[in-house]
Amino acid sequence: MAKQRILSGIQPTGNLHLGNYLGAIRNWVELQREYDAFLFMADLHAITVPHDPKRLAEDTYKVAATYIACGIDPEQSTIFVQSHLSAHAELAWLFNCITPLNWLERMIQFKEKAVKQGENVSIGLLDYPVLQAADILLYEPDLVPVGEDQKQHLELTRDIANRLNFQYGSEASPILKVPEPLIREAGARVMSLTDGNKKMSKSDPSDQSRIDLTDPPEVITKKIKRAKTDPERGLWFDDPARPECHNLLSLYMLLAGKSKAEVAAECREMGWGQFKPLLAETTVAALAPIQAKFNALMADRGYLESILKTGREKAGAVAIPTLTRVKDALGYSTPL
Ligand code: TYM
């Protein structure tokens, strides 16, 4: 029987952080054995806020290297660049014409990012989830593994697929497959080191708020040492009055590969002075092999290019027939 498929992507804007790793990439690494995995760099999404053209291509290679360094196996999974396949932008246009404006205006991420952009909000920022729907639906995945913050975008993707199927298809032969989100509880919401109620984010102006996957050991140690805590003695999970405590314990649990019960027992009597060096040491140890592999891959551009070339071919073989099916359903003529 053919394997089920997963698809997911990350924007190549800024450095990837522990949230991207624990909320997304780490899960893909596990899933790739069982699923046919399509993983890409969302570089068209990366220009929905002002960007630096000198860095875009380099940042895209960095994300590809990060995927592989974290354990994505290019022999097993398809790794590709969104902008290398024009089908993404083309399907997004077709979806634009069937998506009601008010579906986009209520997207939480748009509202949050639009506030930060002030007068400079592009149509691309508003339209971002429609492009995301195209990214997903082109590949007919069964599951889309993401962090919690992408939930609303996946609901919109499902709404767009259902609307297209309803308007132009029939129940017996739907045009698009409607995928399910896969949001694992553990790691789905890694929070900022400076505020346990805010998610860790590439766009947070404070570097101190996140741990980048490329941070050297001394920087990681310093960030954890300075992380916000509280004056309580003893450490425990799930206390709404102690969001930072829950977040730091969760990071320890995930990076040490321990169970929640083990960490709860181990840390119950600890103070911050004992726990923070332990977390720092665990984080440094978990990231060291990833960093070594990342550096080696970044020094071998030829290898990365060959992976992305193969990825583009494999992605095109799935995406182009889907695009053609949608165009047929909308009544387009076929070029001779
Ligand atoms: P992006 O680049 O913001 O994030 C990439 C992935 O990392 C997850 N993530 C987190 N998980 C846990 N805690 C956090 N603090 C945290 N921050 C980020 C995100 O949930 C995501 O899984 N729009 C997408 C990129 C995209 C995409 C797609 C994803 C474009 N097309 C199609 C899936 C399918 C984005 O900006 O993710």
Side-chain angles (χ1 to χ4, degrees):
M1 219 175 72
K3 279 184 178 176
Q4 287 205 327
R5 185 173 294 152
I6 58 166
L7 170 127
S8 203
I10 296 186
Q11 284 190 73
T13 39
N15 292 321
L16 300 198
H17 52 67
L18 278 182
N20 300 126
Y21 176 55
L22 298 173
I25 306 174
R26 187 183 58 111
N27 297 329
W28 308 346
V29 172
E30 272 178 37
L31 293 163
Q32 70 179 340
R33 270 179 267 132
E34 251 181 86
Y35 291 85
D36 188 18
F38 281 73
L39 306 167
F40 69 100
M41 281 63 76
D43 60 344
L44 295 172
H45 280 103
I47 68 161
T48 53
V49 293
H51 83 291
D52 179 357
K54 290 195 210 78
R55 290 191 50 181
L56 184 58
E58 191 62 17
D59 284 349
T60 305
Y61 280 114
K62 279 188 186 165
V63 176
T66 306
Y67 287 178
I68 301 170
C70 289
I72 297 299
D73 175 2
E75 298 286 319
Q76 214 165 26
S77 303
T78 303
I79 303 174
F80 64 99
V81 182
Q82 183 188 34
S83 68
H84 290 181
L85 289 125
S86 56
H88 290 246
E90 194 173 348
L91 186 60
W93 175 257
L94 303 178
F95 285 171
N96 275 336
C97 300
I98 63 150
T99 306
L101 181 59
N102 66 5
W103 286 9
L104 298 180
E105 284 168 337
R106 58 171 191 250
M107 292 290 117
I108 296 161
Q109 274 207 355
F110 170 70
K111 288 195 230 166
E112 283 174 1
K113 288 193 186 175
V115 169
K116 287 190 199 153
Q117 295 300 310
E119 304 246 300
N120 227 346
V121 178
S122 68
I123 291 176
L125 190 65
L126 177 70
D127 202 27
Y128 173 120
V130 175
L131 177 59
Q132 182 161 351
D135 298 336
I136 297 170
L137 297 171
L138 275 175
Y139 296 89
E140 305 194 88
D142 297 280
L143 297 173
V144 184
V146 285
E148 175 76 31
D149 60 345
Q150 295 300 319
K151 197 170 168 200
Q152 201 187 24
H153 290 160
L154 292 193
E155 280 159 12
L156 183 95
T157 298
R158 289 168 55 85
D159 288 345
I160 291 176
N162 282 323
R163 189 171 172 95
L164 190 108
N165 286 341
F166 178 74
Q167 286 187 348
Y168 299 100
S170 67
E171 221 168 292
S173 61
I175 304 156
L176 293 167
K177 177 164 174 169
V178 185
E180 297 287 337
L182 178 64
I183 302 172
R184 289 248 177 106
E185 200 194 320
R189 248 180 108 66
V190 173
M191 309 311 274
S192 155
L193 296 186
T194 47
D195 179 351
N197 290 310
K198 251 174 46 185
K199 73 166 187 175
M200 188 178 282
S201 158
K202 288 180 227 152
S203 58
D204 192 312
S206 162
D207 244 11
Q208 166 62 37
S209 68
R210 66 187 156 256
I211 293 178
D212 290 340
L213 299 182
T214 48
D215 276 346
E218 62 282 6
V219 173
I220 295 175
T221 307
K222 208 191 247 171
K223 284 180 177 175
I224 292 178
K225 198 167 167 196
R226 289 197 194 145
K228 184 175 172 203
T229 51
D230 54 32
E232 290 274 0
R233 271 214 64 80
L235 306 175
W236 56 86
F237 285 101
D238 297 317
D239 184 341
R242 304 188 71 193
E244 287 82 17
C245 183
H246 179 81
N247 188 43
L248 296 178
L249 283 178
S250 303
L251 287 180
Y252 177 57
M253 172 182 85
L254 294 165
L255 293 168
K258 294 186 175 179
S259 71
K260 194 169 174 181
E262 274 176 294
V263 172
E266 184 185 347
C267 303
R268 194 171 29 223
E269 309 292 332
M270 280 188 194
W272 291 114
Q274 193 184 355
F275 176 74
K276 281 185 162 182
L278 175 67
L279 176 60
E281 199 183 297
T282 307
T283 309
V284 168
L287 295 187
I290 295 177
Q291 295 182 350
K293 193 146 187 225
F294 172 82
N295 291 331
L297 287 159
M298 286 306 286
D300 191 351
R301 183 56 55 91
Y303 172 71
L304 285 180
E305 281 169 353
S306 73
I307 299 293
L308 300 182
K309 183 167 181 283
T310 309
R312 177 182 181 223
E313 283 158 12
K314 282 162 70 184
V318 179
I320 294 164
T322 311
L323 176 64
T324 305
R325 206 166 59 242
V326 174
K327 288 176 80 173
D328 284 349
L330 295 186
Y332 283 95
S333 62
T334 319
L336 298 172

